[in-house]
Amino acid sequence: MATPLHPVITRLKPLGQRLAPQPMRQAWRGLAQALLRGPLAQRPAAVRAALKPLRAHQARLELWSGGRQLSALPLANERYRIGRDPSCELPLEEPGLSRVHAIFEKQRPSDREFSLEDFNSANGLFHRDRRIRFIRLRDGDAVRLGSPLKGEAPELRYSHPRSPLEQAVHLLGLGALAGSALLVSGMLLAASIGGGSRIRSISGPVKIFSADGRQVDAKEGSSTALPSLQAYPLHLRQALMASEEARFGWNSGIDLFGTLRSALLGTGGGSGLTQQVARMVYPEVGRDLSLTRKLRELWVALQLEVGFSKNQILKLYLDRAYLGLGAEGFEQASQLYFRKSASDLDVAQAAFLVGLLPSPNGYSPCNTSDPGAGLERRNLVLKLMHEQGWLSDQALIDAQRRPLNIDPSACRESSFSSYPYFSDYVLGELEGTRFGLDLSSPDAAGNYAVVSTINPKLQQLAQEQLKRFLEGPAAAAGLSQGALITVNVANGEILAYVGGGDYGRSSFDRVQALRQPGSTFKLFPFLAALAAGVSPGDVISCAPFDYVAGCRHGSGSTSVADGLAWSENVVALRLAERAGFDRVIKLARRLGISTPLDADANTMLGGRETYLYEMARAYAVVANGGRSVPMHGVSRIYDLGVCQSIKSLDRCPERGVTIPIGEQSRQLLSSEQALAMDQMLAGVVQRGTGRAASLVPDARGKTGTTNNGVDVLFIGYSPASQLLTAIWMGNDDNTPAQAASGALVADLWGRYMQLAARAVPANG
């Protein structure tokens, strides 16, 4: 018979006497008083003291033999050896035990529970009649020190009940689980009784490409997918559910606890498969970390669960999930990484792709900062499949031993670049008068391949130059945001479009934001004066005009050309008066300005808000010899419902291709007026406020600076390259930047346009 444990072991009170009801009520009352009463500065210490009895819990180890408890040991954060050796912390004089039979300890000091590990004993440890090498113990676990088949072996029983605080949290969790079940059931019932799901159909995506075939949009949704769910291999579907949501087949479609946790903590995640599909097929759900976004996501997910089968939802996920490097959907990702169809993926390859889902770029094999992350994620997914019973022990070993064997060209030749501001502009153009698509309609919301006018080289250059300038000279001057648009003045194609410094932080498009144009608006009073018979060499008085001071350059008078070169406010107002303020406004309207304008001095000097996009279009008229320039970002649309595949657009039937009729170019200014203004804009760069743009030899343009540097601009073009670029800089909250001026932006314009001329040959 086994002897009692070491003499230091004492017999403990029965479990029910650890904290009697009356002391427990007193402890909870003490916590409430600490939270609500007493000086505010002393409350943290009082709360800590009140929590102490509520957090108290005691682990103990009991020795049983022959159906009776021999002794018990209160456990501290120590390491205990169990065996026949007298030096063991827990010595047992039992013939079946080894000298050191097992080790009983916490693996980490922060662990709540103890672990028991066999120390190469002869007769082993047995838990539930199975021999074990290691076990992380839980309250109520019993482990025999030897095989139960070889007679009566001593038994260790582990007891570690919850503290009152842990018990309260446990009960609260059970209540929340029951409440969430009722809530979800009620929402599903309400959706069903109320006519079912409003989501009747899910259209394909709108995919945007550059003229040379590169994908440039940032929206999820794949244009390449397998025809049916069964075409995706079973082990791929199992890997997805093991990794993302093992309960997908039978749950309600939402992870309520995960949703609430992520919404309250602002951590993201916490979404089941159906919730993730809701974000993919309905971009309006959004991607911010707010509680309102989570609620929108839940509602769409519930409607998906009502209107679609589990198989349909699972296929939507497989078709559209983003997997890095522009690959959207498992078919596209499989072709990119393995040069094979997703239907041919083996278990290891399927697990690798599934492993990318939480962070496609972070776990990508192309991530040079952590190239092994993809392999680690793959092996984790394989272990999860094994735990779910979808992989045998040997299949797990075989799959983990497989090399990744990724196509090396995936990292070098990925054609994906995300131009999100331009993508948003393109969607707006598709819904505008040029195409008239209703992308909000469920029946016509997508499944289009859009060939855009964007030039990837120029776009990348624009993004890099604007970002570098914002981080350097602009930041030093107090400017935090910028926008840029480049147009081919010969045909109106938008070649570069940057709506801000960082789309991830702010998706607000500043190319189409209302901002004061400053002196760039002086284009219109000077053009109106030319139309009224004024010549560039005519002399204009520099005397003060109403509340506007006289010229900063020159004494009593100056020429019209010099008045524009030095951006003299008084000259602009005298010319506007000579032409007529109303005629200036009409001319601005004819050249494309649509925003509210008043026939007053403030408007003539750029004090009324306009769009950078429209100002660029107006300057393009001058650059194009007085003819209108129909600016556009889309050259044609392919309906993939007709074309069938994005890989065979060249064979698409004619009815599946839409080439816009396009606006006919019209003569808006006489060629003489356009030429005269062209020469005056050249003077701005050669000798006036825009000299910083003179890095481009034939540059023409105009600076603009509003009061206190709130908005600073430069709009200009190069006849040799036929490129026009408009740039705005400022702060979204209209914070003044005293050190900023249009000359600062002209410097960026010159650097960018000099590089752009090399990157894009004329007529190229």
Side-chain angles (χ1 to χ4, degrees), residues 567-742:
S567 198
E568 300 288 5
N569 289 343
V570 68
V571 174
L573 288 178
R574 291 192 183 281
L575 292 176
E577 183 184 47
R578 185 175 300 187
F581 282 14
D582 289 336
R583 290 187 178 181
V584 174
I585 299 301
K586 289 180 181 178
L587 176 63
R589 294 276 182 244
R590 189 160 77 245
L591 297 190
I593 304 301
S594 64
T595 51
L597 300 173
D598 295 324
D600 58 18
N602 186 38
T603 298
M604 301 302 116
L605 299 180
R608 294 283 186 268
E609 293 177 331
T610 59
Y611 298 113
L612 183 66
Y613 178 90
E614 293 183 351
M615 291 297 298
R617 183 169 56 191
Y619 274 77
V621 173
V622 176
N624 196 34
R627 298 188 66 82
S628 63
V629 179
M631 286 167 51
H632 61 282
V634 177
S635 59
R636 65 180 59 201
I637 303 174
Y638 293 93
D639 186 340
L640 296 176
V642 177
C643 305
Q644 299 300 319
S645 173
I646 202 166
K647 298 180 180 180
S648 58
L649 296 181
D650 56 335
R651 300 190 298 274
C652 183
E654 186 176 345
R655 62 188 178 89
V657 184
T658 300
I659 300 175
I661 297 173
E663 178 186 342
Q664 287 188 340
S665 181
R666 296 174 295 124
Q667 195 74 39
L668 301 180
L669 302 172
S670 70
S671 57
E672 293 78 16
Q673 292 168 14
L675 179 60
M677 178 54 70
D678 174 84
Q679 293 303 306
M680 285 197 292
L681 291 174
V684 173
V685 177
Q686 293 165 4
R687 64 182 187 278
T689 59
R691 281 175 293 179
S694 61
L695 286 173
V696 179
D698 64 338
R700 282 100 161 102
K702 183 71 186 75
T703 55
T705 307
T706 62
N707 291 341
N708 300 320
V710 172
D711 299 286
V712 290
L713 305 92
F714 188 86
I715 305 175
Y717 58 91
S718 163
S721 66
Q722 293 188 312
L723 299 180
L724 178 144
T725 295
I727 303 176
W728 165 87
M729 283 188 174
N731 296 304
D732 286 339
D733 60 359
N734 291 321
T735 302
Q738 300 284 357
S741 68

Side-chain angles (χ1 to χ4, degrees), residues 324-325 337 352 356 359-368 370-371 373-374 411:
L325 300 181
Y337 290 112
F352 164 74
L356 295 176
S359 178
N361 294 323
Y363 297 138
S364 169
C366 305
N367 182 359
T368 56
D370 191 6
C411 301

Side-chain angles (χ1 to χ4, degrees), residues 379-400:
N379 291 342
L380 175 60
V381 174
L382 291 170
K383 287 180 182 177
L384 293 172
M385 294 177 69
H386 178 257
E387 291 174 4
Q388 293 293 327
W390 288 324
L391 282 183
S392 66
D393 293 346
Q394 188 59 47
L396 173 63
I397 294 171
D398 292 343
Q400 288 181 328

Side-chain angles (χ1 to χ4, degrees), residues 452-465:
S452 73
T453 61
I454 206 74
N455 184 297
K457 288 183 180 179
L458 209 56
Q459 176 70 20
Q460 194 66 31
L461 180 65
Q463 291 178 172
E464 292 172 355
Q465 290 294 312

Side-chain angles (χ1 to χ4, degrees), residues 265-527:
L265 298 180
T267 57
S271 300
L273 281 180
T274 308
Q275 290 171 265
Q276 295 180 53
V277 171
R279 292 199 303 268
M280 294 175 192
V281 299
Y282 276 82
E284 295 81 3
V285 167
R287 294 197 168 277
D288 55 272
L289 303 180
S290 66
L291 180 59
T292 55
R293 192 273 287 178
K294 281 293 183 182
L295 293 175
R296 291 194 300 269
E297 180 184 283
L298 287 174
W299 181 240
V300 174
L302 284 167
Q303 292 195 70
L304 287 172
E305 286 286 335
V306 171
F308 294 81
S309 69
K310 289 287 188 181
N311 284 347
Q312 288 174 314
I313 294 171
L314 184 58
K315 186 175 186 298
L316 284 170
Y317 191 100
L318 291 165
D319 289 348
R320 296 167 181 257
Y322 179 62
L323 290 158
L325 300 181
E328 294 169 335
F330 281 83
E331 172 66 11
Q332 195 171 355
S334 181
Q335 297 285 357
L336 173 67
Y337 290 112
F338 301 114
R339 278 195 252 165
K340 63 166 67 173
S341 171
S343 60
D344 299 323
L345 291 170
D346 61 33
V347 174
Q349 291 167 337
F352 164 74
L353 293 181
V354 169
L356 295 176
L357 288 168
S359 178
N361 294 323
Y363 297 138
S364 169
C366 305
N367 182 359
T368 56
S369 63
D370 191 6
L375 184 63
E376 293 176 5
R377 286 290 306 172
R378 182 199 71 175
N379 291 342
L380 175 60
V381 174
L382 291 170
K383 287 180 182 177
L384 293 172
M385 294 177 69
H386 178 257
E387 291 174 4
Q388 293 293 327
W390 288 324
L391 282 183
S392 66
D393 293 346
Q394 188 59 47
L396 173 63
I397 294 171
D398 292 343
Q400 288 181 328
R401 288 173 56 86
R402 288 290 302 274
L404 279 182
N405 197 24
I406 299 296
D407 179 4
S409 66
C411 301
R412 298 193 308 268
E413 300 175 5
S414 172
S415 61
F416 178 74
S417 295
S418 174
Y419 308 151
Y421 288 110
F422 179 69
S423 298
D424 290 348
Y425 164 79
V426 166
L427 294 177
E429 185 173 311
L430 294 177
E431 292 184 304
T433 56
R434 196 160 186 252
F435 293 98
L437 288 176
D438 182 8
L439 298 181
S440 62
S441 168
D443 298 322
N447 212 22
Y448 299 112
V450 178
V451 179
S452 73
T453 61
I454 206 74
N455 184 297
K457 288 183 180 179
L458 209 56
Q459 176 70 20
Q460 194 66 31
L461 180 65
Q463 291 178 172
E464 292 172 355
Q465 290 294 312
L466 182 60
K467 184 175 185 293
R468 185 178 295 117
F469 206 80
L470 285 172
E471 293 172 351
L479 303 171
S480 62
Q481 274 295 354
L484 180 154
I485 182 172
T486 298
V487 181
N488 184 329
V489 297
N491 54 28
E493 292 181 348
I494 297 174
L495 304 179
Y497 191 108
V498 187
D502 186 345
Y503 189 89
R505 293 185 178 181
S506 170
S507 61
F508 180 64
D509 183 0
R510 296 155 189 87
V511 173
Q512 299 190 74
L514 283 169
R515 306 294 299 205
Q516 291 183 11
S519 292
T520 59
F521 193 86
K522 290 175 182 174
L523 175 77
F524 305 113
F526 275 80
L527 278 174

